[in-house]
Amino acid sequence: MRTMKDNWEHEGQRGLGVRPGLGAHTGSLDGRPEPHGGEIGPTERLAMNRTGSFDWDLDAGSIDVDSAGLLVFGQEPDAFDGLPATLVRRLDQQERFRLDDVIRDALRSGRSSYAAHFRIDLDDGSEQWTHVQARILRDSEDRAHRIVGIVRDVTSEVTHSAFMMELEKRRRRQTDMVERSTHALSRAVTVDDVTAALTGPGGLARLGADGLALGLVENGSLNIIALSGESLDVLDDLRVRRLEPGLPLHETVLSGRPLFSGGFQQLIRGYPELAPFADRLPFRAAAYLPLVAQARTLGGMVLFYRRSTAFTADERNLALGLAAIVAQSLQRAILFDEERELATGLQATMLPRRIPAIEGGEIAVRYHSAWSGRQVGGDWYDVIPLPRGRVGIVVGDVQGHDTHAAAIMGQLRIALRAYAGEGHAPSTVLARASRFLAELDTERFATCTYAQVDLGTGTVRAVRAGHLGPLIRHTDGRVGVPKVRGGLPLGIASVFGDEEYPETRLDLVPGETLVMCTDGLVEEPGTDIGQGMEALADAVGAGPPGAEALADHLSRRFWERWGAGDDVALLVLRRSPDPGTPRAPRIHQYIHQADPQGLSEARAVVRRALRDWGMREWADDAELLTGELLGNVLLHTEGGAVLTLEVLPEPVRRVRLAVQDRSSAWPRRRTPGEAATSGRGLLLLDALAARWGVEPRGEGKAVWCEIGPRTRA
């Protein structure tokens, strides 16, 4: 069997004319004559629908086509020679190859039929779409020898289908624009959020425009708050104008009726004030739309287009629909901004207006509101001057993120400040504050950490009410997390009759820093708060030593957490360092009782300091006595110790070591036996120190010794 290409190109080697019954003669598909007497037979019916039939003899290489079929192919019946190649001569080469592939595939695959659409170029330059549907007849050996079928002019159907597809495509595009704009604006909370959604990445594409101008009515003026699009900055001179006729957007806002302009020249004739901008803008059409929500005109919006357009009914409805979405979002955002401004003003009055200066240290505070929500909540901080030169510091959090939480926070802060200012112990201050909150008849509770600090001695007395404990940054950069005992949150404690807030004493040596914060700084949804505390400790250790600089460092480091939906209060207190003088340098270090590395690190600090000070010859004795004095404190008392190492500014310089603890029991001289494992500490002091002694230090004592020449110069 020949290939189909051979059949198309066979030009009459076995050519036959148009066969009777299917060619130029009128007849039925089965060869019977058509009825007479004016009746309409099947062939006439097919011809009326521009449908014809054909009979293709594959063996002979000829094809018989009736008159209607020849008309569909654009052939004259008298000029048709019965060859397949002649029949398809009007087909473009690509269309011919495509039809050839369809027929060849049907013949080779053994199928009994095929169908195809193809395009025919007519003499008048127009295109005609044709549909062929054929049946393949095979012999007993399954060899195709004949194809019969019909051809039909389907131009109107295809055109209508293309029109419907384009219409559906346009409607889907419009629906997509509305859905995407609604989705983007649904997340907008403030007016800034709305403008960002309209002018940010993808904003113009969602609106289907090439440029945008957005204006709001404020105090009798129309203020353009957003411009987006090429060259629209030339309209900066029109940003703030009185709301009066003369400009299209202003008249749209005043009348509440949209204005659609398909050409700028026509627009300029009506509004001559726009003439200076016409040649500087690349736009040819614009839709001026009022922004109306709940019968109130909020402002207006302009959508600019590069192409001229007549604005069909669908396009006008789409633009008005987008304007309605923007108006609703703006109304919601304006109300939110007004409420937030009131709330933040209220909260600003609740927080301290200024932080008092303190002697012997520096304090830095930071408050960051959540990026989402009303940017108001119950987090607070305070610094309270206390009798005898002490200072009270507090960081707390009232449950909730609304104006009610802010109001309760203000009342609680004032009450706690009053109780602390009266000189009460920290445990009493929190117990009274809890009772005060319970008596407010509110369902809210609060957590806080409060500490009284004596910067002269470094003593810190801290209490917790369901809140995070503080961090301490030591002078060598290490960060400790002291275990501060705590009680129930304020308010809840009084309801359950458990107002016990045990105190924990901490020691802050010169140069050390105390960091207190609310949980918004370290807590993230889906993660353990312990991970946040570890990250905070790392950041505190890596930060600069100054209080203000460290607070700024933590603000920059944790800005993402501050955007997670919670407020943050942060307080940093640093005790002033005590470097001594070049002739008499001095260092201080606190050693925690529960820190197994503290003793070895303290000994290393002593050796390194004496080497740096040029007193290497006394380093071994000083390191040994440091271990003895600190070991005695860590083994025989219930707290940590403060180590002070200094050089006495005397003509004969000596190294002075002092170890301070909270125990009131003084060391006793003993005579240890040969097998004793303790009791030799004072013997070492006598042997190695030029002088030593014990001094009372308020709550505890200090054991000191001097290492160096035993006689003065």
Side-chain angles (χ1 to χ4, degrees), residues 651-664:
V652 180
R653 301 177 73 194
R654 289 178 179 169
V655 177
R656 180 183 174 91
L657 278 172
V659 175
Q660 180 180 345
D661 63 68
R662 303 175 193 169
S663 174
S664 59

Side-chain angles (χ1 to χ4, degrees), residues 225-238:
I225 63 173
L227 288 172
S228 178
E230 181 183 353
S231 303
L232 277 178
D233 54 342
V234 303
L235 299 178
D236 282 341
D237 294 340
L238 303 179

